[in-house]
Amino acid sequence: QVQLVESGGDLVQPGGSLRLSCSASGNIISIDTMGWYRQAPGKERELVAVIISSGRPTYIEPVKGRFTISRDNAKNTVYLQMNSLKPDDTAVYYCNALVQLSTYEERWYWGQGTQVTVSS
């Protein structure tokens, strides 16, 4: 069994910063892709940023230049540094990871979500 646990969500004023963390634990051989998604009230869940095992990141356009995704493979942890936050960034942020469980099995896992609220 694999668990992803997020932390770092909070209430912050516009223009502020937050750093989200997501740590994976359990029967893990390796983790390929790790990413962050978000879901705002009344909207569908959307991809925010993703990073592959080699470290190459990809971002959606609205967060480019403001958010930075990174990972520590030794700790099975992915981070999302969010700067210049806007009210539109308000959402529940979910961690997602493609975990190799054995030589022949890979599976996607989700965290439970962490709330980010940007408001004055």
Side-chain angles (χ1 to χ4, degrees):
Q1 189 68 15
V2 173
Q3 283 190 318
L4 301 183
V5 179
E6 299 113 330
S7 62
D10 205 345
L11 170 64
V12 63
Q13 292 187 344
S17 297
L18 283 175
R19 188 192 195 208
L20 306 183
S21 299
C22 171
S23 293
S25 61
N27 188 25
I28 298 170
I29 292 181
S30 64
I31 301 178
D32 184 358
T33 303
M34 303 187 82
W36 289 95
Y37 288 70
R38 65 186 180 186
Q39 187 166 18
K43 295 186 177 181
E44 293 187 355
R45 190 174 298 188
E46 65 172 353
L47 174 67
V48 175
V50 64
I51 186 167
I52 61 175
S53 57
S54 65
R56 181 166 60 89
T58 301
Y59 303 93
I60 58 171
E61 196 63 36
V63 308
K64 282 183 178 178
R66 300 189 297 123
F67 291 10
T68 302
I69 189 170
S70 61
R71 62 189 288 173
D72 184 333
N73 291 332
K75 297 181 179 179
N76 288 331
T77 299
V78 63
Y79 306 96
L80 186 67
Q81 177 66 44
M82 304 185 294
N83 299 326
S84 302
L85 282 161
K86 305 175 181 180
D88 284 349
D89 296 318
T90 295
V92 177
Y93 283 70
Y94 297 91
C95 173
N96 171 264
L98 179 58
V99 179
Q100 185 171 5
L101 303 173
S102 69
T103 303
Y104 305 106
E105 183 180 10
E106 280 187 327
R107 191 178 299 175
W108 288 99
Y109 289 90
W110 289 92
Q112 81 287 352
T114 185
Q115 177 70 47
V116 172
T117 303
V118 185
S119 175
S120 54

